Amino acid sequence: MTMRLEVTRRAELAVQAVATLSPRDTRLKAPELGEALDATPGFVAQVVGPLVKAGWVRSTPGPSGGYSLTDAAAGASVLDVIEAVDGPTATGRCVAQDRACATGDTCALHDAWTQARTTLTSTLAATPAVPVHLRGAG
């Protein structure tokens, strides 16, 4: 049985990217953001792409361009960012067996795992991706 509870490197960097871009009027090119995140510019594009698609990050091309946050990012939670990058956290899969969870046919860990997952996702959903002290700062 393999049971993993982790945030992927991509999701971790996405959360860090939002925080790094949070001070109002911050605009960083991929190499600058990569340096801040200790990641390559190519990996930055993979990390930031889902955030652009979600409408939280703006990608402006050209010599004066770069990545910056949109106003919509202020409403995003850490859970929103993680799920934008890695997909839904609720997969419907059993954590102990390689099968779908089925009502009435759950594993011994089902109730405990459901409770732990609910606590974790509730906490992540309540944690703003844009640090409160940086909202509207500038």
Side-chain angles (χ1 to χ4, degrees):
M1 163 176 60
T2 301
M3 180 172 59
R4 299 173 68 186
L5 181 61
E6 65 182 356
V7 174
T8 66
R9 175 85 171 129
R10 277 179 31 149
E12 173 194 356
L13 290 178
V15 172
Q16 288 181 28
V18 170
T20 300
L21 295 171
S22 289
R24 185 171 286 293
D25 299 326
T26 298
R27 183 178 299 176
L28 297 175
K29 295 193 170 297
E32 297 167 319
L33 186 55
E35 186 175 321
L37 301 176
D38 194 25
T40 65
F43 197 56
V44 166
Q46 291 178 31
V47 166
V48 177
L51 305 179
V52 171
K53 185 176 179 182
W56 302 318
V57 172
R58 179 180 303 106
S59 176
T60 306
S64 62
Y67 294 115
S68 58
L69 288 187
T70 67
D71 290 340
S77 71
V78 170
L79 181 63
D80 293 330
V81 173
I82 291 169
E83 289 188 334
V85 172
D86 286 344
T89 57
T91 64
R93 302 290 301 170
C94 178
V95 297
Q97 301 168 2
D98 187 23
R99 64 178 174 85
C101 286
T103 304
D105 184 25
T106 58
C107 71
L109 296 176
H110 182 84
D111 292 337
W113 186 259
T114 299
Q115 183 179 1
R117 184 194 171 286
T118 298
T119 300
L120 175 61
T121 57
S122 295
T123 300
L124 294 173
T127 304
V130 175
V132 175
H133 69 281
L134 294 177
R135 291 183 187 183

